[in-house]
Amino acid sequence: MRVGLIGAGTIGTYLLDELSRKNDQDIRITSVFVRNLEKYQHLEERYGVQLYTSVDEFLDSSIDVVVEAANVQAAREVLPDIVSEKETVLISIGALAEENFFNKITEIINEKNHRVHLPSGAIGGLDLIENVTEAGIIDTLSLVTRKPAHTLLSEPTDETKTVFEGNAAEAIEQYPKNINVSIALALAGVGLQQTKVTLLADPNLDKNIHSIQVSGDFGTASFEISNNPFPSNKNTSYLAAVSVLGTLKKMTKRINIG
Ligand SMILES: NC(=O)C1=CN([C@@H]2O[C@H](COP(=O)(O)OP(=O)(O)OC[C@H]3O[C@@H](n4cnc5c(N)ncnc54)[C@H](O)[C@@H]3O)[C@@H](O)[C@H]2O)C=CC1
Ligand SMILES: O=C([O-])CC(=O)C(=O)O
């Protein structure tokens, strides 16, 4: 499977490193879409990839799948063109928060018979949530996220501060780099309006902790994922990058778990 990557930052570099280190013949990143050719020139020699600054040329290169690892804004801009040409893995899941945009993407992929894969990112348990939602037996879904205060506030204090309380739709508009997980949850579950989100800035924390509560006729479920952040980008949990690699691996397998 030949992969085209959008965004060579923390997650993108992790994928480049892992897939080249393992010399994985099943999955190879061959094309990378960047905005600044000079800044990323070194990637060509290091990973044997071809860089592109034109979306059309990137999509014309010989790739089977596109992985988006840029940000919500970039994803909103390029996604319609990408999904109409390729199978896509989207980690900036917040791009799908807006209903009209979600419907537009759905329309394109239905017409083109393409798929969009949303990795579990910095959380887990989405299989359970999706199953009970499909079965119509989910009642409530909530997320409490705690992050190191300095990643959320320009002037952190000694106290833990609630920086956001509301639903997933409002959360991603205010914190597009921090709460993509809420949109994955909401899309798997009760939707963006009904998914409750609380975001806490904790000055004594060096992890990204996501606590999920689900209830319904099946019973209740709670998950807490205490994530180590990337040293180079404290906003992003290591698990988020690992989940993109996991999604790519699943796409090459014939036995799917979950
Ligand atoms: N679903 C989840 O659980 C998570 C999702 N994310 C999403 O993943 C994204 C990437 O995360 P990181 O790699 O940590 O961010 P990062 O900031 O380290 O890297 C993003 C890269 O994308 C590049 N970029 C930005 N706009 C672009 C464009 N229009 N075209 C091409 N490249 C562009 C930047 O220059 C940068 O190199 C985040 O912005 C966030 O939306 C991040 C963590 C968890
Ligand atoms: O990496 C994390 O812990 C979560 C995150 O940034 C996001 O959901 O956007």
Side-chain angles (χ1 to χ4, degrees), residues 14 56 68-70 93 108 122 133 194 196-197 219 255:
Y14 170 83
D56 290 343
E68 177 283 328
I93 299 172
I108 297 171
T133 303
Q194 303 303 323
K196 292 189 192 129
V197 178
I255 295 184

Side-chain angles (χ1 to χ4, degrees), residues 122 147 176-182 208 210 227 235-237 240:
K147 287 201 165 193
K177 286 201 167 176
N178 291 286
I179 205 85
N180 283 276
V181 286
S182 71
N208 295 322
H210 304 290
N227 282 295
N235 271 322
T236 293
S237 298

Side-chain angles (χ1 to χ4, degrees), residues 50-235:
Q50 177 84 46
L51 297 185
Y52 295 89
T53 52
S54 146
V55 176
D56 290 343
E57 287 172 21
F58 170 73
L59 290 172
D60 278 348
S61 70
S62 86
I63 52 176
D64 308 302
V65 174
V66 169
V67 171
E68 177 283 328
N71 57 48
V72 165
Q73 180 61 32
R76 282 184 181 144
E77 280 164 26
V78 296
L79 209 53
D81 287 340
I82 305 292
V83 300
S84 73
E85 296 299 325
K86 304 286 172 188
E87 188 107 348
T88 305
V89 177
L90 176 76
I91 189 65
S92 298
I93 299 172
L96 296 177
E98 209 264 310
E99 196 179 340
N100 287 338
F101 188 73
F102 181 91
N103 292 340
K104 178 177 171 179
I105 296 299
T106 308
E107 209 174 287
I108 297 171
I109 58 180
N110 282 342
E111 191 192 320
K112 301 279 180 168
N113 206 14
H114 287 163
R115 284 174 202 265
V116 173
H117 304 264
L118 306 180
S120 48
I123 53 171
L126 292 168
D127 52 346
L128 180 153
I129 294 169
E130 196 171 21
N131 291 344
V132 297
T133 303
E134 290 290 342
I137 55 167
I138 188 168
D139 288 335
T140 63
L141 177 57
S142 65
L143 168 72
V144 177
T145 292
R146 289 182 186 76
K147 287 201 165 193
H150 66 90
T151 66
L152 296 167
L153 299 170
S154 50
E155 290 177 16
T157 61
D158 291 344
E159 304 284 306
T160 296
K161 193 172 171 209
T162 303
V163 297
F164 176 84
E165 216 168 359
N167 67 28
E170 297 154 353
I172 194 69
E173 281 312 310
Q174 291 184 37
Y175 292 93
K177 286 201 167 176
N178 291 286
I179 205 85
N180 283 276
V181 286
S182 71
I183 305 305
L185 272 179
L187 292 174
V190 291
L192 274 75
Q193 303 299 329
Q194 303 303 323
T195 302
K196 292 189 192 129
V197 178
T198 306
L199 182 56
L200 303 170
D202 184 338
N204 301 310
L205 201 64
D206 61 356
K207 310 260 181 202
N208 295 322
I209 302 178
H210 304 290
S211 308
I212 298 157
Q213 305 283 338
V214 198
S215 74
D217 288 351
F218 70 98
T220 60
S222 329
F223 316 99
E224 182 163 286
I225 300 99
S226 182
N227 282 295
N228 291 331
F230 267 99
S232 57
N233 181 356
K234 303 274 185 203
N235 271 322

